[in-house]
Amino acid sequence: MHRKVPAGFGGRLRGKGPHHRDLAAQPTQYVVSDQGRLVARYDKRFLSNTELSYLYTPGTDPLTFDIDGIRFGAALCIEANFPALFAEYERLDVDCVLLSVMVDDAARAGVAQAYGTLYNYWLGYAVPAQYGATAPSGIIAPGGRWLARCPGDDRPALAIADIGDATSPDIDVAVRLARPWRRLASAGLYDGRTAPGDPRSRTRTAF
């Protein structure tokens, strides 16, 4: 099945800003439809100290958009270091988070892979070609496995995978079992199941 996938690209939106800035820029990710129309925009919400000090104004809202029943979220660069943002997208029931970073850092790719493991959604990880030798762009499956990656060099390339395809056993377990269980466990599953009156529960040292 061929899905209509939008083009996404980064930019900087300029406009009137607070704190006496005549023009404040926002690091932005645009979403363009398959018909060439601008349909959505995500403004980076978490900024570095330098960015916040004199360069940019933070955004305020998450972004989700749906394509043929697949729900996407968006995040930018340093936001990879803020787990609450990715937990928020899990609560918003996204199927895939698109994370674009401007950094030559293999650890950042590891963090992205961890979110695929923790929240059991797909994750698109994109870096500029010049950083591809350190941490190539790619697509992470629910459960944390890399589905596709660009070559580990500095040439432009594409990583392609079927988002929403849960036929692989590991992805099926992540989507059908692990993600619902995590939600259930976080929603009070253990309430009333502890044994506060049992001395063995109160004792924290060996007998």
Side-chain angles (χ1 to χ4, degrees), residues 77-150:
C77 206
I78 197 175
E79 293 185 325
N81 295 328
F82 292 85
L85 185 151
F86 292 84
E88 177 185 40
Y89 277 128
E90 201 286 325
R91 293 192 299 272
L92 292 172
D93 205 27
V94 303
D95 300 292
C96 178
V97 174
L98 303 176
L99 172 62
S100 299
V101 304
M102 182 68 175
V103 64
D104 190 9
D105 180 9
R108 195 74 56 93
V111 171
Q113 192 173 12
Y115 290 134
T117 304
L118 287 171
Y119 299 120
N120 295 292
Y121 45 50
W122 282 266
L123 199 141
Y125 181 79
V127 298
Q130 65 263 33
Y131 299 151
T134 301
S137 299
I139 300 168
I140 301 163
R145 173 168 61 91
W146 286 98
L147 280 178
R149 296 198 82 174
C150 293

Side-chain angles (χ1 to χ4, degrees), residues 144-164:
R145 173 168 61 91
W146 286 98
L147 280 178
R149 296 198 82 174
C150 293
D153 54 37
D154 58 359
R155 295 176 298 174
L158 295 174
I160 300 174
D162 290 330
I163 301 298

